[in-house]
Amino acid sequence: MDDSAQFREAMSRLGAAVTVLTTDGPAGRHGMTASAVCSVTDAPPTLLVCVNRANRSHAAFTRNRTLCVNVLGEHHRALSGRFASAGATDRFEGETWAARKTGAPVLSGAVTAFDCRIGRIEAVGTHSVFFCDVEEVILSCGETTGLIWFGRGFHDLRAPA
Ligand SMILES: Cc1cc2nc3c(=O)[nH]c(=O)nc-3n(C[C@H](O)[C@H](O)[C@H](O)COP(=O)(O)O)c2cc1C
């Protein structure tokens, strides 16, 4: 196994929450599935998000500078597949989306969502690292179940009773 294959294999064992990143603005509405999302600090609330520059959404994020991190629940497996598949015609169809502070689409029923503006952007290898200033946090009022990507597959996660 070469170094990058070994790295990818190791990363498949690092479980991560599944999100759909969305944007809207002058470059139009786009969205994609992502698990490379991480907290940087809560003062000021900041996330980092890693997006492959080969992805079609990449140009839209850099032009719009808006990005909503929609955290998915167990009932969003199909949605997650659609936002990761190049073949899907309209990824947004069949769900309810609302614009809040930045105008990036917020998914109704997301476990939680972070409505952000993209600040600093760093290029590292194949990816851009977006440092995202959180303008608003939207917490789901319903039951919270998580969706985790681990071992190259989806797994449900329930909060302790
Ligand atoms: C569970 C999962 C997690 C993913 N995480 C990321 C990620 O963090 N960053 C990324 O660039 N692509 C990630 N992808 C791949 C993109 O979702 C995929 O390449 C998508 O088709 C890109 O869409 P676009 O080309 O329309 O932007 C992930 C895919 C899956 C299934």
Coordinates of all heavy atoms in Angstrom, one line a residue, residues 30-131:
H30 N -25.8 25.8 -5.1 CA -25.0 24.6 -5.2 C -25.0 23.9 -3.8 O -25.2 24.5 -2.8 CB -23.6 24.8 -5.7 CG -23.5 25.3 -7.1 ND1 -23.4 24.4 -8.2 CD2 -23.7 26.5 -7.7 CE1 -23.4 25.1 -9.3 NE2 -23.5 26.3 -9.0
G31 N -24.7 22.6 -3.9 CA -24.5 21.9 -2.6 C -23.9 20.5 -2.9 O -23.9 20.0 -4.0
M32 N -23.2 20.1 -1.8 CA -22.5 18.8 -1.9 C -22.4 18.1 -0.5 O -22.4 18.8 0.5 CB -21.1 18.9 -2.5 CG -20.2 20.0 -1.8 SD -18.5 19.9 -2.1 CE -17.9 18.7 -0.9
T33 N -22.3 16.8 -0.5 CA -22.1 16.1 0.8 C -20.6 16.2 1.2 O -19.7 16.2 0.4 CB -22.4 14.6 0.5 OG1 -23.7 14.5 0.1 CG2 -22.2 13.8 1.8
A34 N -20.4 16.4 2.5 CA -19.1 16.5 3.1 C -19.0 16.0 4.5 O -19.9 16.1 5.3 CB -18.6 18.0 3.0
S35 N -17.8 15.4 4.8 CA -17.6 15.0 6.2 C -16.4 15.7 6.8 O -16.1 15.6 8.0 CB -17.4 13.5 6.3 OG -16.3 13.1 5.4
A36 N -15.6 16.5 5.9 CA -14.4 17.2 6.4 C -14.8 18.5 7.0 O -14.6 19.6 6.3 CB -13.4 17.3 5.3
V37 N -15.5 18.5 8.1 CA -15.9 19.7 8.8 C -15.5 19.6 10.3 O -15.6 18.6 10.9 CB -17.5 19.8 8.8 CG1 -18.0 20.9 9.6 CG2 -18.0 19.8 7.4
C38 N -14.9 20.7 10.8 CA -14.3 20.7 12.1 C -14.5 22.0 12.8 O -14.4 23.1 12.1 CB -12.9 20.3 11.9 SG -11.8 20.4 13.3
S39 N -14.6 22.0 14.1 CA -14.7 23.3 14.9 C -13.2 23.8 15.0 O -12.3 23.0 15.2 CB -15.2 23.0 16.2 OG -14.9 24.1 17.1
V40 N -13.1 25.1 14.8 CA -11.8 25.8 15.0 C -11.8 26.4 16.4 O -10.9 26.2 17.2 CB -11.5 26.8 13.9 CG1 -10.2 27.5 14.2 CG2 -11.5 26.2 12.6
T41 N -12.8 27.3 16.7 CA -12.9 27.9 18.0 C -14.3 28.4 18.2 O -15.0 28.6 17.2 CB -11.9 29.2 18.1 OG1 -12.2 29.9 19.3 CG2 -12.1 30.1 16.9
D42 N -14.7 28.6 19.5 CA -16.1 29.2 19.7 C -16.0 30.7 19.9 O -17.0 31.3 20.2 CB -16.8 28.4 20.9 CG -16.1 28.6 22.2 OD1 -15.0 29.3 22.2 OD2 -16.7 28.2 23.2
A43 N -14.8 31.3 19.9 CA -14.7 32.7 20.1 C -13.7 33.3 19.1 O -12.5 33.3 19.4 CB -14.3 33.0 21.6
P44 N -14.2 33.8 18.0 CA -15.6 33.8 17.5 C -15.9 32.4 16.9 O -15.0 31.7 16.4 CB -15.6 34.9 16.4 CG -14.2 34.8 15.9 CD -13.3 34.4 17.0
P45 N -17.2 32.0 16.9 CA -17.6 30.7 16.3 C -17.1 30.5 14.9 O -17.4 31.3 14.0 CB -19.1 30.7 16.4 CG -19.4 31.7 17.5 CD -18.4 32.8 17.4
T46 N -16.2 29.5 14.7 CA -15.5 29.3 13.4 C -15.4 27.8 13.1 O -15.1 27.1 14.0 CB -14.1 29.9 13.5 OG1 -14.2 31.3 13.9 CG2 -13.4 29.9 12.1
L47 N -15.7 27.5 11.9 CA -15.6 26.1 11.4 C -14.6 26.1 10.3 O -14.4 27.1 9.6 CB -16.9 25.6 10.8 CG -18.1 25.4 11.8 CD1 -19.3 25.0 11.0 CD2 -17.8 24.3 12.8
L48 N -13.9 24.9 10.1 CA -13.2 24.8 8.9 C -13.8 23.6 8.1 O -14.3 22.6 8.7 CB -11.7 24.6 9.1 CG -11.1 23.3 9.7 CD1 -11.0 22.2 8.7 CD2 -9.6 23.6 10.1
V49 N -13.8 23.8 6.8 CA -14.4 22.8 5.9 C -13.4 22.6 4.7 O -12.8 23.6 4.2 CB -15.7 23.5 5.3 CG1 -16.3 22.7 4.2 CG2 -16.7 23.7 6.5
C50 N -13.2 21.4 4.3 CA -12.3 21.0 3.3 C -13.0 20.6 2.0 O -13.8 19.6 2.1 CB -11.3 20.0 3.7 SG -10.4 20.4 5.2
V51 N -12.8 21.3 0.9 CA -13.5 21.0 -0.3 C -12.5 20.8 -1.5 O -11.6 21.6 -1.7 CB -14.5 22.1 -0.7 CG1 -15.1 21.8 -2.1 CG2 -15.6 22.2 0.4
N52 N -12.7 19.6 -2.2 CA -11.8 19.3 -3.3 C -12.0 20.4 -4.4 O -13.2 20.7 -4.8 CB -12.2 17.9 -3.8 CG -11.1 17.4 -4.8 OD1 -10.6 18.1 -5.6 ND2 -10.8 16.1 -4.7
R53 N -10.9 20.9 -4.9 CA -11.1 22.0 -5.9 C -11.6 21.4 -7.3 O -12.1 22.2 -8.1 CB -9.7 22.7 -6.2 CG -9.4 23.7 -5.1 CD -8.3 24.6 -5.5 NE -7.0 23.9 -5.7 CZ -6.2 23.4 -4.8 NH1 -6.5 23.6 -3.5 NH2 -5.1 22.7 -5.1
A54 N -11.6 20.1 -7.4 CA -12.2 19.5 -8.6 C -13.7 19.4 -8.6 O -14.4 19.2 -9.6 CB -11.6 18.1 -8.8
N55 N -14.3 19.6 -7.4 CA -15.7 19.6 -7.2 C -16.4 20.8 -7.9 O -15.9 21.9 -7.9 CB -16.2 19.6 -5.8 CG -15.8 18.3 -5.1 OD1 -15.5 17.3 -5.7 ND2 -16.0 18.2 -3.8
R56 N -17.6 20.5 -8.5 CA -18.2 21.6 -9.3 C -18.7 22.7 -8.3 O -18.7 23.9 -8.7 CB -19.5 21.1 -10.0 CG -19.1 20.1 -11.1 CD -20.3 19.4 -11.7 NE -21.0 18.6 -10.6 CZ -22.1 18.0 -10.7 NH1 -22.8 18.0 -11.9 NH2 -22.6 17.3 -9.7
S57 N -19.0 22.4 -7.1 CA -19.5 23.4 -6.1 C -18.3 24.3 -5.7 O -18.6 25.4 -5.2 CB -20.0 22.7 -4.8 OG -20.7 21.6 -5.1
H58 N -17.1 23.9 -5.8 CA -16.0 24.7 -5.3 C -16.0 26.1 -5.8 O -15.9 27.1 -5.0 CB -14.6 24.0 -5.7 CG -13.5 24.7 -5.1 ND1 -12.8 25.7 -5.7 CD2 -12.8 24.5 -3.9 CE1 -11.8 26.2 -4.9 NE2 -11.8 25.5 -3.8
A59 N -16.2 26.3 -7.1 CA -16.2 27.7 -7.6 C -17.3 28.5 -7.1 O -17.2 29.7 -6.8 CB -16.3 27.6 -9.2
A60 N -18.5 27.9 -6.8 CA -19.6 28.6 -6.3 C -19.4 29.0 -4.9 O -19.7 30.2 -4.5 CB -20.9 27.7 -6.3
F61 N -18.7 28.2 -4.1 CA -18.4 28.6 -2.7 C -17.4 29.8 -2.7 O -17.6 30.7 -2.0 CB -17.7 27.4 -1.9 CG -18.7 26.3 -1.5 CD1 -18.4 25.0 -1.9 CD2 -19.8 26.6 -0.8 CE1 -19.2 24.0 -1.6 CE2 -20.7 25.5 -0.4 CZ -20.4 24.2 -0.8
T62 N -16.4 29.7 -3.6 CA -15.4 30.8 -3.5 C -16.0 32.1 -4.1 O -15.6 33.2 -3.7 CB -14.1 30.4 -4.3 OG1 -14.5 30.0 -5.6 CG2 -13.4 29.3 -3.6
R63 N -17.0 32.0 -5.0 CA -17.6 33.2 -5.6 C -18.6 33.8 -4.6 O -18.7 35.0 -4.3 CB -18.1 32.9 -6.9 CG -18.7 34.1 -7.6 CD -18.5 34.2 -9.1 NE -19.1 35.4 -9.6 CZ -20.1 35.5 -10.4 NH1 -20.7 34.4 -10.9 NH2 -20.6 36.7 -10.8
N64 N -19.5 32.9 -4.1 CA -20.6 33.4 -3.3 C -20.1 33.8 -1.9 O -20.7 34.7 -1.2 CB -21.6 32.3 -3.1 CG -22.4 32.0 -4.4 OD1 -22.4 32.8 -5.3 ND2 -23.0 30.8 -4.4
R65 N -19.1 33.1 -1.4 CA -18.6 33.3 0.0 C -19.6 33.0 1.1 O -19.5 33.5 2.2 CB -18.0 34.7 0.1 CG -16.7 34.9 -0.7 CD -15.5 34.5 0.1 NE -14.3 34.6 -0.6 CZ -13.1 34.6 0.0 NH1 -13.0 34.5 1.3 NH2 -12.0 34.6 -0.7
T66 N -20.7 32.3 0.7 CA -21.6 31.9 1.7 C -21.6 30.4 1.8 O -21.3 29.7 0.8 CB -23.1 32.3 1.4 OG1 -23.5 31.6 0.2 CG2 -23.2 33.8 1.2
L67 N -21.8 29.8 3.0 CA -21.7 28.3 3.1 C -22.5 27.9 4.3 O -22.3 28.4 5.4 CB -20.3 27.9 3.2 CG -20.0 26.4 3.2 CD1 -18.5 26.2 2.8 CD2 -20.2 25.7 4.6
C68 N -23.5 27.1 4.1 CA -24.3 26.5 5.3 C -23.9 25.1 5.4 O -23.9 24.3 4.5 CB -25.8 26.7 5.1 SG -26.7 26.1 6.5
V69 N -23.5 24.7 6.7 CA -23.2 23.3 7.0 C -24.5 22.7 7.6 O -24.9 23.1 8.7 CB -22.1 23.2 8.1 CG1 -21.8 21.8 8.5 CG2 -20.8 23.9 7.5
N70 N -25.2 21.9 6.8 CA -26.4 21.2 7.3 C -26.0 19.8 7.8 O -25.6 19.0 7.0 CB -27.4 21.1 6.1 CG -27.8 22.4 5.6 OD1 -28.7 23.0 6.1 ND2 -27.2 22.9 4.5
V71 N -26.1 19.6 9.1 CA -25.8 18.3 9.7 C -26.9 17.4 9.5 O -28.1 17.7 9.9 CB -25.4 18.5 11.2 CG1 -25.0 17.2 11.8 CG2 -24.2 19.5 11.3
L72 N -26.6 16.2 8.9 CA -27.7 15.2 8.6 C -28.0 14.2 9.7 O -27.1 13.9 10.5 CB -27.3 14.5 7.3 CG -27.0 15.3 6.1 CD1 -26.8 14.4 4.9 CD2 -28.1 16.4 5.8
G73 N -29.3 13.8 9.7 CA -29.7 12.7 10.6 C -29.9 11.4 9.9 O -29.7 11.3 8.7
E74 N -30.3 10.4 10.7 CA -30.4 9.0 10.1 C -31.4 9.0 8.9 O -31.3 8.1 8.0 CB -30.8 8.0 11.2 CG -32.2 8.3 11.8 CD -32.6 7.2 12.7 OE1 -31.8 6.3 13.0 OE2 -33.8 7.3 13.2
H75 N -32.4 9.9 8.9 CA -33.4 9.9 7.9 C -32.9 10.6 6.6 O -33.7 10.7 5.6 CB -34.7 10.6 8.4 CG -34.5 11.9 9.0 ND1 -33.7 12.1 10.2 CD2 -34.9 13.1 8.6 CE1 -33.7 13.4 10.5 NE2 -34.4 14.0 9.5
H76 N -31.7 11.0 6.6 CA -31.1 11.7 5.4 C -30.2 10.9 4.5 O -29.4 11.5 3.8 CB -30.4 13.0 5.9 CG -31.3 14.0 6.4 ND1 -31.1 14.6 7.7 CD2 -32.5 14.6 5.9 CE1 -32.1 15.5 7.9 NE2 -32.9 15.5 6.9
R77 N -30.2 9.6 4.7 CA -29.2 8.8 3.9 C -29.4 9.0 2.4 O -28.4 9.2 1.7 CB -29.5 7.3 4.2 CG -28.9 6.9 5.5 CD -29.1 5.4 5.7 NE -28.8 5.0 7.0 CZ -28.0 3.9 7.3 NH1 -27.6 3.2 6.3 NH2 -27.7 3.6 8.5
A78 N -30.6 9.0 1.9 CA -30.9 9.2 0.4 C -30.4 10.6 0.0 O -29.7 10.7 -1.1 CB -32.3 9.0 0.1
L79 N -30.7 11.6 0.8 CA -30.3 12.9 0.5 C -28.8 13.0 0.4 O -28.2 13.7 -0.5 CB -30.8 13.8 1.6 CG -30.5 15.3 1.6 CD1 -31.3 16.0 0.5 CD2 -30.7 16.0 2.9
S80 N -28.1 12.4 1.4 CA -26.7 12.4 1.4 C -26.1 11.8 0.1 O -25.1 12.3 -0.5 CB -26.2 11.7 2.6 OG -24.8 11.4 2.5
G81 N -26.7 10.7 -0.3 CA -26.2 10.0 -1.6 C -26.4 10.9 -2.8 O -25.6 11.0 -3.6
R82 N -27.6 11.6 -2.8 CA -27.9 12.5 -3.9 C -26.9 13.7 -4.0 O -26.4 14.0 -5.1 CB -29.3 13.1 -3.7 CG -30.0 13.4 -5.0 CD -31.5 13.4 -4.9 NE -32.0 14.5 -4.1 CZ -32.7 14.4 -3.0 NH1 -33.1 13.2 -2.6 NH2 -33.2 15.5 -2.4
F83 N -26.5 14.2 -2.9 CA -25.6 15.4 -2.9 C -24.1 14.9 -3.1 O -23.2 15.8 -3.2 CB -25.7 16.2 -1.6 CG -26.8 17.2 -1.7 CD1 -28.1 16.9 -1.4 CD2 -26.5 18.5 -2.1 CE1 -29.1 17.8 -1.5 CE2 -27.5 19.5 -2.1 CZ -28.8 19.1 -1.9
A84 N -23.9 13.6 -3.1 CA -22.5 13.1 -3.4 C -22.4 12.5 -4.8 O -21.3 12.2 -5.3 CB -22.2 12.0 -2.4
S85 N -23.6 12.4 -5.5 CA -23.6 11.8 -6.8 C -23.6 12.8 -8.0 O -24.4 13.7 -8.0 CB -24.8 10.8 -6.9 OG -25.4 10.9 -8.2
A86 N -22.7 12.6 -8.9 CA -22.6 13.5 -10.0 C -23.8 13.4 -10.9 O -24.1 14.3 -11.7 CB -21.3 13.2 -10.8
G87 N -24.5 12.3 -10.9 CA -25.6 12.0 -11.8 C -26.9 12.7 -11.5 O -27.8 12.9 -12.3
A88 N -27.1 13.0 -10.2 CA -28.4 13.6 -9.7 C -28.7 14.9 -10.4 O -27.8 15.8 -10.5 CB -28.3 13.8 -8.2
T89 N -29.9 15.0 -11.0 CA -30.3 16.2 -11.7 C -30.4 17.4 -10.8 O -29.7 18.4 -10.9 CB -31.5 16.0 -12.6 OG1 -32.5 15.3 -11.8 CG2 -31.2 15.2 -13.8
D90 N -31.5 17.4 -10.0 CA -31.7 18.5 -9.0 C -31.5 17.9 -7.6 O -32.4 17.3 -7.1 CB -33.0 19.2 -9.2 CG -33.2 20.4 -8.2 OD1 -32.2 20.7 -7.5 OD2 -34.2 21.0 -8.2
R91 N -30.4 18.2 -7.0 CA -30.1 17.6 -5.7 C -31.0 18.2 -4.6 O -31.3 17.6 -3.6 CB -28.6 17.9 -5.3 CG -27.6 17.2 -6.1 CD -26.2 17.7 -5.8 NE -25.2 16.8 -6.5 CZ -23.9 17.1 -6.4 NH1 -23.4 18.1 -5.7 NH2 -23.1 16.3 -7.0
F92 N -31.5 19.4 -4.8 CA -32.3 20.1 -3.8 C -33.8 19.7 -3.8 O -34.5 19.9 -2.8 CB -32.3 21.6 -4.0 CG -30.9 22.2 -3.6 CD1 -29.9 22.2 -4.6 CD2 -30.7 22.7 -2.4 CE1 -28.6 22.8 -4.3 CE2 -29.4 23.2 -2.1 CZ -28.4 23.3 -3.0
E93 N -34.2 19.0 -4.9 CA -35.6 18.6 -5.0 C -36.1 17.7 -3.9 O -35.3 16.8 -3.5 CB -35.8 17.9 -6.4 CG -37.2 17.9 -6.9 CD -37.2 17.2 -8.3 OE1 -37.3 16.0 -8.4 OE2 -37.1 18.0 -9.3
G94 N -37.3 17.9 -3.5 CA -38.0 16.9 -2.5 C -37.7 17.3 -1.1 O -38.2 16.6 -0.2
E95 N -36.9 18.4 -0.8 CA -36.7 18.8 0.6 C -37.1 20.3 0.7 O -37.2 21.0 -0.3 CB -35.2 18.7 0.9 CG -34.7 17.3 0.9 CD -35.2 16.4 2.1 OE1 -35.6 17.0 3.1 OE2 -35.1 15.2 1.9
T96 N -37.3 20.7 1.9 CA -37.6 22.1 2.1 C -36.4 22.9 2.6 O -35.7 22.4 3.5 CB -38.7 22.3 3.2 OG1 -39.8 21.4 2.8 CG2 -39.2 23.7 3.3
W97 N -36.1 24.0 1.9 CA -34.9 24.8 2.1 C -35.3 26.2 2.4 O -36.3 26.7 1.8 CB -33.9 24.8 0.9 CG -33.6 23.4 0.5 CD1 -34.2 22.6 -0.4 CD2 -32.4 22.6 0.9 NE1 -33.6 21.4 -0.5 CE2 -32.5 21.4 0.2 CE3 -31.4 22.9 1.8 CZ2 -31.5 20.4 0.4 CZ3 -30.4 21.9 2.0 CH2 -30.5 20.6 1.3
A98 N -34.6 26.9 3.3 CA -35.0 28.3 3.6 C -33.7 29.1 3.7 O -32.6 28.6 4.1 CB -35.7 28.3 5.0
A99 N -33.8 30.4 3.2 CA -32.6 31.3 3.4 C -32.7 32.0 4.7 O -33.8 32.4 5.1 CB -32.6 32.3 2.2
R100 N -31.6 32.0 5.4 CA -31.6 32.8 6.7 C -30.7 34.0 6.6 O -30.9 34.8 5.7 CB -31.1 31.8 7.8 CG -31.9 30.5 7.9 CD -33.1 30.6 8.8 NE -32.8 30.9 10.2 CZ -33.5 30.5 11.2 NH1 -34.6 29.8 11.0 NH2 -33.2 30.8 12.4
K101 N -29.6 34.1 7.3 CA -28.8 35.3 7.3 C -28.0 35.5 6.0 O -27.9 36.6 5.5 CB -27.9 35.4 8.5 CG -28.6 35.8 9.8 CD -27.6 36.4 10.8 CE -28.3 37.1 11.9 NZ -27.5 37.2 13.1
T102 N -27.3 34.5 5.6 CA -26.4 34.6 4.5 C -27.0 34.4 3.1 O -26.5 34.7 2.1 CB -25.2 33.7 4.6 OG1 -25.6 32.3 4.3 CG2 -24.5 33.7 6.0
G103 N -28.2 33.7 3.1 CA -28.8 33.3 1.9 C -28.5 31.9 1.4 O -29.1 31.4 0.5
A104 N -27.5 31.2 2.1 CA -27.2 29.8 1.7 C -28.4 29.0 2.2 O -29.0 29.2 3.3 CB -26.0 29.4 2.4
P105 N -28.8 27.9 1.4 CA -30.0 27.1 1.8 C -29.8 26.3 3.1 O -28.8 25.6 3.2 CB -30.1 26.2 0.6 CG -29.4 26.9 -0.6 CD -28.3 27.6 0.1
V106 N -30.8 26.5 4.0 CA -30.8 25.8 5.2 C -31.8 24.7 5.1 O -33.0 24.9 4.8 CB -31.1 26.7 6.4 CG1 -31.1 25.9 7.7 CG2 -30.1 27.9 6.5
L107 N -31.4 23.4 5.4 CA -32.3 22.3 5.3 C -33.3 22.2 6.5 O -32.8 22.1 7.6 CB -31.5 21.0 5.2 CG -32.2 19.7 5.2 CD1 -33.0 19.5 4.0 CD2 -31.2 18.5 5.4
S108 N -34.6 22.2 6.2 CA -35.6 22.0 7.2 C -35.4 20.6 7.7 O -35.4 19.7 6.9 CB -37.0 22.2 6.7 OG -37.2 23.4 6.3
G109 N -35.3 20.4 9.0 CA -35.1 19.0 9.5 C -33.7 18.6 9.7 O -33.4 17.5 10.1
A110 N -32.7 19.5 9.4 CA -31.3 19.2 9.7 C -31.2 19.0 11.2 O -31.9 19.7 12.0 CB -30.4 20.3 9.2
V111 N -30.3 18.2 11.6 CA -30.1 18.0 13.1 C -29.6 19.3 13.7 O -30.1 19.7 14.7 CB -29.0 16.9 13.3 CG1 -28.6 16.8 14.8 CG2 -29.5 15.5 12.8
T112 N -28.7 20.0 13.0 CA -28.3 21.3 13.3 C -27.7 21.9 12.0 O -27.4 21.2 11.1 CB -27.4 21.4 14.5 OG1 -27.3 22.8 14.9 CG2 -26.0 20.9 14.1
A113 N -27.7 23.3 12.0 CA -27.1 23.9 10.8 C -26.3 25.1 11.2 O -26.7 25.8 12.2 CB -28.2 24.3 9.8
F114 N -25.2 25.4 10.5 CA -24.4 26.6 10.8 C -24.4 27.4 9.5 O -23.9 27.0 8.5 CB -22.9 26.1 11.0 CG -22.8 25.1 12.2 CD1 -22.9 23.8 12.0 CD2 -22.5 25.6 13.5 CE1 -22.8 22.9 13.1 CE2 -22.4 24.7 14.5 CZ -22.5 23.3 14.3
D115 N -25.0 28.6 9.6 CA -25.1 29.5 8.5 C -23.8 30.4 8.5 O -23.7 31.2 9.5 CB -26.4 30.3 8.6 CG -26.7 31.1 7.3 OD1 -26.1 30.7 6.2 OD2 -27.6 32.0 7.4
C116 N -23.0 30.3 7.5 CA -21.6 30.9 7.6 C -21.3 31.8 6.4 O -21.9 31.6 5.3 CB -20.6 29.9 7.6 SG -20.8 28.6 8.9
R117 N -20.4 32.7 6.6 CA -19.7 33.4 5.5 C -18.2 32.9 5.5 O -17.6 32.7 6.6 CB -19.6 34.9 5.7 CG -21.0 35.5 5.5 CD -21.0 37.0 5.4 NE -22.4 37.5 5.5 CZ -23.3 37.4 4.6 NH1 -23.0 36.9 3.4 NH2 -24.6 37.8 4.8
I118 N -17.7 32.7 4.3 CA -16.4 32.1 4.2 C -15.4 33.3 4.3 O -15.4 34.3 3.6 CB -16.2 31.4 2.8 CG1 -17.2 30.3 2.7 CG2 -14.7 30.9 2.7 CD1 -17.2 29.6 1.3
G119 N -14.5 33.1 5.3 CA -13.4 34.1 5.5 C -12.2 33.7 4.7 O -12.2 33.6 3.5
R120 N -11.1 33.3 5.4 CA -9.9 32.9 4.8 C -10.0 31.6 4.0 O -10.7 30.7 4.5 CB -8.8 32.7 5.9 CG -7.4 32.9 5.5 CD -6.6 33.4 6.7 NE -6.7 32.7 7.9 CZ -5.9 31.6 8.2 NH1 -4.9 31.2 7.4 NH2 -6.0 31.0 9.4
I121 N -9.3 31.5 2.9 CA -9.3 30.2 2.2 C -7.8 29.9 2.0 O -7.0 30.7 1.5 CB -9.9 30.4 0.8 CG1 -11.4 30.8 0.9 CG2 -9.8 29.1 0.0 CD1 -12.1 31.1 -0.4
E122 N -7.4 28.6 2.4 CA -6.1 28.1 2.2 C -6.1 26.9 1.2 O -6.9 26.0 1.4 CB -5.5 27.6 3.5 CG -5.3 28.7 4.6 CD -4.1 29.5 4.4 OE1 -3.1 29.1 3.7 OE2 -4.0 30.6 4.9
A123 N -5.2 26.9 0.2 CA -5.1 25.8 -0.7 C -4.1 24.8 -0.1 O -2.9 25.2 0.3 CB -4.6 26.3 -2.0
V124 N -4.5 23.6 0.0 CA -3.5 22.5 0.5 C -3.7 21.3 -0.4 O -4.8 20.7 -0.4 CB -3.8 22.1 2.0 CG1 -2.8 21.0 2.4 CG2 -3.7 23.3 2.9
G125 N -2.7 21.0 -1.2 CA -2.8 19.8 -2.1 C -4.0 20.0 -3.0 O -4.2 21.0 -3.7
T126 N -4.8 19.0 -3.1 CA -6.0 19.0 -4.0 C -7.2 19.8 -3.4 O -8.2 20.0 -4.1 CB -6.5 17.5 -4.1 OG1 -6.7 17.0 -2.8 CG2 -5.5 16.7 -4.9
H127 N -7.1 20.2 -2.2 CA -8.3 20.8 -1.5 C -8.1 22.3 -1.1 O -7.0 22.7 -1.0 CB -8.6 20.0 -0.2 CG -9.3 18.7 -0.5 ND1 -8.9 17.7 -1.3 CD2 -10.5 18.2 0.0 CE1 -9.7 16.7 -1.3 NE2 -10.7 17.0 -0.5
S128 N -9.2 22.9 -0.9 CA -9.3 24.2 -0.3 C -9.8 24.1 1.1 O -10.8 23.3 1.3 CB -10.2 25.2 -1.0 OG -9.6 25.6 -2.3
V129 N -9.2 24.8 2.0 CA -9.7 24.8 3.4 C -10.4 26.1 3.6 O -9.8 27.2 3.4 CB -8.5 24.7 4.4 CG1 -9.1 24.6 5.9 CG2 -7.7 23.4 4.2
F130 N -11.7 26.1 3.8 CA -12.5 27.3 4.0 C -12.6 27.5 5.5 O -13.1 26.6 6.3 CB -13.9 27.1 3.5 CG -14.0 26.9 2.0 CD1 -14.9 26.0 1.5 CD2 -13.1 27.6 1.1 CE1 -15.0 25.8 0.1 CE2 -13.2 27.4 -0.3 CZ -14.2 26.5 -0.8
F131 N -12.2 28.7 6.0 CA -12.4 29.1 7.4 C -13.8 29.8 7.4 O -13.9 30.8 6.7 CB -11.3 29.9 7.9 CG -10.0 29.1 8.2 CD1 -9.1 28.9 7.2 CD2 -9.8 28.5 9.4 CE1 -8.0 28.1 7.4 CE2 -8.7 27.7 9.6 CZ -7.8 27.5 8.6

